[in-house]
Amino acid sequence: MQRLAHAGASVRAVVRNPSGDVAGAAVIQADLLEVATLAPALAGIKSLIHCAAITADHKEPFPGAYRRVNAEGTRNLVWAARRAGVEKIVLLNGLGTRRGSDRSYMRTRWEMSEAVRNSGLPWVALQPSILFGDRAPYPAALARLARQFPVMPVLGGSRRLQPLWVEDLVSCLTMAAGSSQWDGRSIDLGGPDQLTYREMTKLVMDTIGVHRPMVPLPPSLARVPARVMALLPNPPLVPATLELFDFDNVTQPDVVEETFGFQPRRITDHFLANGLDG
Ligand SMILES: NC(=O)c1ccc[n+]([C@@H]2O[C@H](COP(=O)([O-])OP(=O)(O)OC[C@H]3O[C@@H](n4cnc5c(N)ncnc54)[C@H](OP(=O)(O)O)[C@@H]3O)[C@@H](O)[C@H]2O)c1
């Protein structure tokens, strides 16, 4: 928000539960599932950056929440955006978003994209791999596990991911919102490094100075534990999470430079200088 405001934009932050100021933005309350809240939130808005979702690292807050919020919520938002005269939608989705099977988490993410693609408005979808920096959830979850357990389960093992710095994603979002250059494209994004999940786990443990023996946990063996853990209030793993380990979470290493013209930050350099945050 601050970056957009510094660039001269008048920014509105749409949140479900306003609990304070958002630097650089006017705050307004709305909920994707409460259609009546969307019209005032979108009135006068030219570019809409849609980052709201129930993600696979969270247990559904109510049964069917992935579908309701991601798919139906996005359709509500698109409908309200058209009525409000919004001129462009920038969607934040995940790398490798695909159709998935009926009733999968992935299907709900695909339907988000479909709603935006079929909106009739200019659109662009940015689809990053795992993010790091600024309390990004995946490195923080690994750090929590390492601190809490004597051994470190490594889900995904030799599958790869391509971490992107949150601030670099913000640069791409800002550029995509301000130009028609990338309209009509779904762009997978990642930073300059491709790591295996095992290497990522080790990097996080090295960064926080906690070392645990790593134990491979193949996604096929994690299915039953994930179902059981989903009964807990804040589980580290739910069945939807496992869908993200079905494929390599990577794209071309130079995609940000090729597409947006700048060199994104390396995760190793960032962790060395800032730890997990920053
Ligand atoms: N973090 C990553 O590594 C990563 C990587 C790739 C893609 N992404 C994508 O980036 C987006 C944001 O992810 P994140 O990690 O920032 O997740 P997050 O922290 O859980 O943010 C999701 C946001 O959606 C809002 N939301 C949920 N239900 C809503 C509803 N009914 N109406 C309005 N807002 C609602 C939440 O509001 P509350 O705060 O009120 O709950 C929250 O602010 C997601 O689409 C995610 O898939 C993230």
Side-chain angles (χ1 to χ4, degrees), residues 137-149 152 201 204-205 208 210 276:
Y138 182 64
L142 290 179
R144 232 177 4 255
L145 277 179
R147 289 193 177 103
Q148 287 173 355
F149 293 102
M152 192 64 182
T201 304
V204 169
M205 289 198 293
I208 62 170
V210 174
L276 298 191

Side-chain angles (χ1 to χ4, degrees), residues 16 52-56 58-61 65-66 69-70 105 108-109:
R16 269 197 307 180
I54 306 290
T55 54
H58 289 103
K59 175 179 173 173
E60 285 185 301
Y66 296 135
V69 174
N70 300 345
Y105 165 77
T108 73
R109 302 306 307 236

Side-chain angles (χ1 to χ4, degrees), residues 16-17 30-33 51-55 58 69 92-94 105 109 128-131 137:
R16 269 197 307 180
N17 304 302
D31 189 312
L32 295 179
L33 300 182
C51 307
I54 306 290
T55 54
H58 289 103
V69 174
L92 180 57
N93 211 337
Y105 165 77
R109 302 306 307 236
S129 182
I130 293 293
L131 301 175

